[in-house]
Structures are given as structure tokens and as C-alpha cells.
Amino acid sequence: MTKATSNGRLKIGIVTLLIVGAVLATVFLIAKYPSLLHLGLDLQGGVSVTLEAQPEKGKAITDEDMANLMAIMGTRVNEFGVSEPLIQQEGKERIIVELAGLDNPKQATDMLGKTAKLEFKDPNGDVILSGTDLADAYVSQENGGKNVVALKFSKAGAKKFAAATEKYIGQVISINLDGKSISAPKVEAVIADGNAIITGQGDYDQCAELAALLRSGALPVDVKIVEERVVGPQLGADSLYKSYFAILYGVAAIFLFMLVYYRLPGYLSCLSLLVYALILFWLQSGINVTLTLPGIAAFLLSMGMAIDANIIIFERIKDELHRGKSLTAAVGSGFQRAFKAILDANVTTLIATVVLFYFGVSSIKGFAITLSLGVLASMFTAVVFTRYLLNVCSKDAKLSKRSLYRS
């Protein structure tokens, strides 16, 4: 009996030290490597630009036009060095571009609002064809089954291209979009029919992306900036500062309530919540989820759901204790009775997050991702980790006293 008592308390003590150590190590890493936190526009400042595609007279904007436009915006955004840009379509003819941490909003609007420019350059850097000379670009396959990008030039473009390939055979003709080289194929033969292929571009997706960029250059879609929103770095820093305190106050209030009302199980749930917070943080950091103010709200909401799962479990255990069962039996029965209610509540929440992510835009999607990850993490910590701790305590003579469980 003495050995069992010592082992039970020793295990809880070791688990506590490991969790506290992991929390302190995470805080240290965040302080030393701020890039672990992928902060959104509202937390670090930056610029949000809404672009609207302008159709030519008598023509409508197609889905392909919007896909091409988004591909071009992706290449332009990379010029700013923004680590976590957000580019998404809103409605049928609008695109939202969010550049967090950008300190030159005018540069962003100037770059995003200009018309795409496609150029073919000779080895000397002189322009020999432009995007207007290209009729189409699409993914095709060679006889060996390798993916290639097929080019089809207009009648005038075909003549220019034939002359260029004859002149520069064995040399490289560079293909540039917005002044940046996106491909540099080597001329292996004279091409007189206006059809050419670009090899060595990798898998199908890479070829499709290049083809989209080439089509965009050949068929540019004019855009108009309809909304520009700038968030200053100071405002973003102030939002982040207040958000940190909101998290600390919220977590402290939860911990205090659980410790006072549930005693030992409350202490175990505090450990479980710390594990939950660690899992959620490293999951979001690992998959590069951008943290926004709605995301912080989702974190606190999912933490409330996590503690709610623990409360349901503890109340079921108390019911079993009131029926005269031993603590070990009460823990097993309590978890079994609570699991269905916890599962139902979390599944319905996950369904809601899927709907929010599918129909939402910008920060709403961030909210949905954070909440769904939080729900999954809370399920694990409540059903697996908390149960493990309670089983350890139930086999310890001192930690299994009923007075510690408010029964």
C-alpha cells in the first residue's frame, strides 16, 4: 500500500513538472523566435486590398479569369516578402489580398493594381514577343507520359517565334511575367507552326500553375481597387497586447473556479488544459495557421468547451460516488456515461466549423480552423489525458480520499 501511494503521487508530480516545463519552454521559444506565431493583419498591422475584375465591353468575367488573376496576385505578393499572405476570392469578381506586417501600403496597392505584363526575352534580355502574341497555354503530355506546358501563338506571334527560334537555336529564351522570369526553356529546334512546349516543369500542378500564369499574361484582366484598409503596426501591437491579457485573465478565472469547486479533479483538469493549450499552439504553428483576433476568440471558446467536457466527466463521477461505488469504479462508469454527451457536443461544433470555413472569408476561416483544432485537442485531453490522471489518483491511498473529490 505504501509503495502504491508513493507511486501515485510521484507520477502526478512528474507529470506536473513535465507540463510546467513544456509551457515555460514554449513561452521561451515564442519570445526568442516570434515567427512561431503567425500573426494576422489585425494583430501586427499591414494592408488589406480588395480588387475587382473589370470585364471587357460585352464580355463577362469567367471562373478561369479569376483563377488566372489570383495566380498573378500570388506571384506579386511574393515580391513583398510577406510570410503569410492571404489571397482569396470574394463573390464572383472580387479578390481580397491581406499582407500582414507590410510597412509600405502604397507599394502594395501600386503593385497589385497594375495590369499583368508577359514578355519573351532573347539571351541579350531584349523583348522578342509579348503576352498579346500568345493565344493559349495548357498542360499536355509527351510520348513518355511526362507533363509539359504547351504553347500556342497567334498568327503574328507564330511568325515572330519562328524567327526567334531559328536565330537563337541552342540558346535560352526567357519567359517573364511582371518583370520576373518564370521559365527559361532552351531552344532545341526551329518552331515554325506556332506551337511549342516547355519541358522540365515538374508535376501536373506545377505545369498547370505555369500555364495559368502564361494565359493570364496573354489575356490580362484589368482590375480596380475598390477598398483599401490599412492597420498600423501600433494598433496591431495594442490589439496583440490586449489579446494576451484576455487569454491570461480567462485562463486564470477557469483555473481558479476548477480548483475551488472541484478540488483534486479541478487540479487535474488544469494540467489537462495546459496540455490542451500546448497541443493547440504547436498544431497551429506546424500547419502555419494565421492567428487573428477571431482566432483568439476561438481559442478561448474551445478552452471553455474543453473545461466543459471535464465538468461533465467530474459530475458523472460524483453521481457514481453518491451511489456508493469505489473511486476506481466511479471513474470508469463516469467516463462511460459522459462520453456520449461530449461526443455529440463536439461533433455538432465540428459541423458548424466546416460550414464556417466553407462559406466564410478571411478571419472567419481562421476562427473555424482554430475552433476545430481546439475541439479535437479538447476531446483528446478530456477523454484520454484526464482519465489517465484520474486512474492514477484512484489507485493511490491518499489521493483517492472522497473529501478530495467534493462527493
Side-chain angles (χ1 to χ4, degrees):
M1 180 66 69
T2 303
K3 184 176 181 181
T5 299
S6 175
N7 284 342
R9 280 176 287 171
L10 180 62
K11 286 181 180 179
I12 297 298
I14 291 174
V15 168
T16 300
L17 290 176
L18 289 175
I19 293 173
V20 172
V23 170
L24 292 176
T26 300
V27 172
F28 171 77
L29 288 173
I30 293 174
K32 189 169 183 179
Y33 305 103
S35 59
L36 288 172
L37 284 174
H38 306 289
L39 302 179
L41 180 70
D42 50 3
L43 293 179
Q44 65 169 318
V47 61
S48 174
V49 180
T50 301
L51 305 163
E52 185 175 76
Q54 303 295 299
E56 295 181 18
K57 189 174 181 179
K59 294 184 178 180
I61 297 294
T62 65
D63 292 339
E64 185 179 12
D65 291 333
M66 296 304 293
N68 293 340
L69 184 57
M70 290 184 69
I72 287 179
M73 292 305 155
T75 61
R76 293 179 177 180
V77 163
N78 291 333
E79 295 294 328
F80 302 118
V82 179
S83 59
E84 293 298 324
L86 176 66
I87 306 173
Q88 60 183 356
Q89 186 171 341
E90 181 185 51
K92 184 172 178 58
E93 299 179 353
R94 289 190 174 188
I95 291 176
I96 297 176
V97 182
E98 291 188 359
L99 307 173
L102 189 67
D103 56 3
N104 191 342
K106 187 176 185 305
Q107 179 190 6
T109 55
D110 289 345
M111 179 68 77
L112 295 174
K114 76 176 185 180
T115 304
K117 187 177 183 182
L118 178 67
E119 297 174 325
F120 291 74
K121 293 184 178 182
D122 63 21
N124 300 318
D126 298 323
V127 178
I128 52 177
L129 291 96
S130 66
T132 56
D133 296 313
L134 185 66
D136 197 10
Y138 53 92
V139 181
S140 183
Q141 286 188 334
E142 292 183 306
N143 293 333
K146 292 184 178 180
N147 293 308
V148 297
V149 178
L151 305 179
K152 182 177 180 61
F153 292 95
S154 63
K155 187 175 181 180
K159 291 181 180 180
K160 295 179 186 178
F161 194 64
T165 54
E166 183 178 4
K167 182 178 180 179
Y168 301 112
I169 190 166
Q171 300 182 60
V172 169
I173 292 179
S174 176
I175 303 174
N176 297 267
L177 184 67
D178 289 338
K180 183 179 179 180
S181 177
I182 58 174
S183 181
K186 184 178 180 181
V187 180
E188 297 180 352
V190 177
I191 302 173
D193 61 356
N195 294 293
I197 60 172
I198 302 175
T199 60
Q201 293 302 305
D203 59 19
Y204 179 87
D205 291 338
Q206 291 173 310
C207 290
E209 182 179 359
L210 177 57
L213 292 175
L214 293 174
R215 289 194 302 271
S216 300
L219 302 171
V221 179
D222 291 334
V223 295
K224 179 177 71 173
I225 297 176
V226 295
E227 183 181 1
E228 176 186 345
R229 181 166 58 92
V230 178
V231 178
Q234 185 59 44
L235 180 60
D238 185 59
S239 298
L240 183 61
Y241 178 79
K242 291 180 178 178
S243 299
Y244 284 157
F245 273 94
I247 291 175
L248 289 175
Y249 291 151
V251 171
I254 291 174
F255 280 13
L256 181 62
F257 169 77
M258 295 302 293
L259 288 171
V260 171
Y261 193 81
Y262 285 103
R263 301 177 185 175
L264 179 59
Y267 173 75
L268 300 181
S269 69
C270 292
L271 294 179
S272 182
L273 282 179
L274 289 177
V275 172
Y276 155 82
L278 288 169
I279 292 174
L280 186 57
F281 169 77
W282 287 110
L283 272 177
Q284 291 191 104
S285 180
I287 62 177
N288 294 329
V289 175
T290 301
L291 183 63
T292 61
L293 286 174
I296 291 176
F299 170 78
L300 290 173
L301 177 60
S302 60
M303 178 166 279
M305 295 179 65
I307 204 63
D308 182 59
N310 280 272
I311 289 174
I312 292 173
I313 292 168
F314 297 159
E315 290 297 329
R316 297 292 80 78
I317 291 174
K318 283 170 58 178
D319 290 344
E320 297 300 319
L321 289 173
H322 288 154
R323 294 176 181 177
K325 291 186 177 181
S326 67
L327 181 59
T328 301
V331 168
S333 299
F335 269 93
Q336 187 174 6
R337 290 179 56 197
F339 180 75
K340 189 176 185 301
I342 296 171
L343 182 64
D344 290 346
N346 284 288
V347 167
T348 53
T349 303
L350 284 174
I351 293 173
T353 61
V354 171
V355 174
L356 284 173
F357 182 83
Y358 185 79
F359 292 103
V361 297
S362 188
S363 56
I364 300 301
K365 289 191 174 183
F367 175 88
I369 292 174
T370 301
L371 185 56
S372 60
L373 291 176
V375 167
L376 295 174
S378 68
M379 280 280 290
F380 169 78
T381 53
V383 176
V384 178
F385 188 71
T386 301
R387 183 169 190 171
Y388 165 76
L389 296 180
L390 282 170
N391 282 331
V392 170
C393 291
S394 67
K395 297 172 183 177
D396 186 289
K398 291 188 176 181
L399 296 182
S400 60
K401 292 180 178 179
R402 289 176 178 262
S403 59
L404 295 175
Y405 295 82
R406 198 180 179 87
S407 61

